[in-house]
Amino acid sequence: MITSFVFKALDRRAIWVIAVLVGLAVLVPLLNLALPAGHPLHVPNYAISLMGKYLTYALLALALDLVWGYCGILSLGHGAFFALGGYAMGMYLMRQIGARGVYGDPVLPDFMVFLNWQELPWFWYGFDQFWFAAIMIVLVPGALAFVFGWFAFRSRVTGVYLSIITQAMTYALLLAFFRNEMGFGGNNGLTDFKDILGYAIQADTTRAALFSASALALAAAFLICSGIVRSKFGKVLVAVRDAESRSRFFGYRVENVKLFVFVVSAMMAGVAGALYVPQVGIINPGEFAPANSIEVVIWTAVGGRGTLVGPIVGAVLVNAGKSVFTAAFPEFWLFALGALFVAVTLFLPKGIVGALSGLATRRPRRPAPVIRDAAGEAAE
């Protein structure tokens, strides 16, 4: 069954994307670690972390494309799933600090000692083990998506109303995580990480390994998404997107279809957040900001929703542009981002990849040769 799923997922485009990502996972760390700093092909350390962050954003955009591009669910709350996965990884990294913190407490993180916490909260138990944290990275966002989707989809909340509710969920989590008594670091969040799996998190080899893990996770997620959309279930997803009432009339449990793909997408977003945190070194409630979820929508729209490749391209291009633009004109970035979204909506409604695919399918074909018989007359 798994073999059949993989073979269905591996069309020509998927093979190329996965091959590129696997190649990057091998080549970029080699160019960083094996070549000296003065070599023209050397990849500097800061670029490793920056590109790794872009790949986690691409994974988040891919997760959104699965629900928006193929099922018509415009979620403005995927930043919440991303942040929850990041907090799960951050809690593991905080437990690894131990007595090396500022206050030297072997159990309590520094912010808990500062706030006069007497014991570790129950929901921090187990996060000293990586396997437990790995489970929570996918379980917590998946559970939230399941509970939210169960009520929303069975109530037949759709369209802009669903988008507003997902945004409200994100904002509620933002306010909750800002509170110190929640036990997640309050406004400052979680930071000052030391180790991951026993390796120094600031070491060059660790940075390179995190980049490779991000690229491989994106490749695996692309394979999963491609397998889903190319299966019979994927055809049902598109039917729900294009004609939900008709799909329900034909006997499909539309709410179950939506719920499944929404939970899978949330888990992927959680993995993206978990890979993001050790590469940037901090996770705070600002990651729950509704503006972050809206940016993910822009990345997906710019690249081309409903293409799987488009969100990856859009996330990398927009964030690379953001890095350059904010360095030169930091006060104008939000205006540029809004103008980009308007321009894409007006002139490239299918996004970059969608437009390029449309041009490829409209290429003029060479006329078929005319076959003539012995008398020189054209055969019918």
Side-chain angles (χ1 to χ4, degrees):
M1 181 177 179
I2 297 178
T3 305
S4 175
F5 178 85
V6 171
F7 277 115
K8 285 182 180 180
L10 289 174
D11 61 346
R12 181 179 299 179
R13 177 179 292 184
I15 291 174
W16 274 105
V17 172
I18 293 173
V20 169
L21 290 172
V22 173
L24 288 175
V26 176
L27 182 60
V28 172
L30 282 178
L31 295 178
N32 172 250
L33 300 174
L35 298 180
H39 197 279
L41 296 180
H42 174 75
V43 178
N45 294 333
Y46 79 89
I48 289 287
S49 298
L50 189 63
M51 290 187 292
K53 184 176 71 171
Y54 293 165
L55 292 179
T56 62
Y57 287 157
L59 178 53
L60 175 59
L62 179 64
L64 178 66
D65 190 41
L66 183 62
V67 294
W68 185 31
Y70 289 92
C71 198
I73 303 172
L74 176 54
S75 170
L76 298 180
H78 261 54
F81 306 131
F82 179 84
L84 288 173
Y87 264 96
M89 174 60 78
M91 293 167 72
Y92 163 75
L93 296 174
M94 292 296 289
R95 293 298 309 273
Q96 300 307 299
I97 297 176
R100 292 173 294 174
V102 175
Y103 298 101
D105 194 297
V107 177
L108 295 180
D110 284 339
F111 74 89
M112 290 188 183
V113 178
F114 178 78
L115 295 173
N116 294 320
W117 289 63
Q118 300 302 316
E119 59 181 3
L120 194 70
W122 64 268
F123 47 83
W124 278 75
Y125 293 156
F127 278 96
D128 55 334
Q129 302 293 326
F130 181 78
W131 64 267
F132 182 83
I135 293 175
M136 292 298 107
I137 286 167
V138 294
L139 182 61
V140 174
L144 176 61
F146 181 85
V147 173
F148 177 88
W150 176 273
F151 291 104
F153 300 142
R154 291 184 180 275
S155 301
R156 300 190 181 182
V157 180
T158 59
V160 66
Y161 303 103
L162 180 63
S163 300
I164 292 173
I165 293 175
T166 57
Q167 192 173 52
M169 174 192 69
T170 305
Y171 190 66
L173 288 171
L174 168 69
L175 297 179
F177 274 73
F178 261 120
R179 301 176 66 87
N180 287 327
E181 56 267 29
M182 285 287 291
F184 296 106
N187 182 46
N188 295 322
L190 309 177
T191 187
D192 194 29
F193 308 131
K194 307 293 186 184
D195 299 331
I196 180 171
L197 292 173
Y199 298 95
I201 204 167
Q202 297 294 338
D204 295 344
T205 52
T206 306
R207 294 289 187 183
L210 288 170
F211 172 87
S212 296
S214 300
L216 294 176
L218 180 58
F222 190 91
L223 179 66
I224 293 172
C225 291
S226 180
I228 291 175
V229 302
R230 288 176 58 83
S231 65
K232 293 181 179 179
F233 180 78
K235 303 299 185 293
V236 177
L237 282 180
V238 175
V240 171
R241 178 195 68 188
D242 295 339
E244 180 175 333
S245 298
R246 187 173 297 179
S247 301
R248 185 176 283 109
F249 176 78
F250 278 117
Y252 289 106
R253 296 295 298 273
V254 172
E255 61 274 13
N256 292 345
V257 173
K258 288 183 173 182
L259 184 61
F260 173 79
V261 74
F262 193 63
V263 171
V264 171
S265 177
M267 289 180 174
M268 290 170 51
V271 173
L275 290 169
Y276 168 84
V277 168
Q279 296 184 87
V280 300
I282 189 173
I283 178 71
N284 58 38
E287 298 298 334
F288 287 101
N292 292 350
S293 297
I294 295 174
E295 274 199 48
V296 182
V297 173
I298 295 176
W299 305 340
T300 307
V302 169
R305 69 185 182 100
T307 61
L308 295 185
V309 181
I312 298 176
V313 174
V316 173
L317 289 181
V318 173
N319 283 284
K322 180 180 182 179
S323 298
V324 175
F325 202 92
T326 52
F329 310 101
E331 65 274 14
F332 296 114
W333 165 244
L334 290 180
F335 297 101
L337 185 64
L340 175 65
F341 185 63
V342 172
V344 168
T345 303
L346 293 177
F347 304 109
L348 290 175
K350 295 183 179 180
I352 297 173
V353 174
L356 293 177
S357 299
L359 290 175
T361 56
R362 289 198 300 267
R363 287 186 304 177
R365 297 183 179 180
R366 297 176 58 185
V370 178
I371 303 175
R372 299 181 179 274
D373 56 14
E377 297 180 353
E380 294 183 0

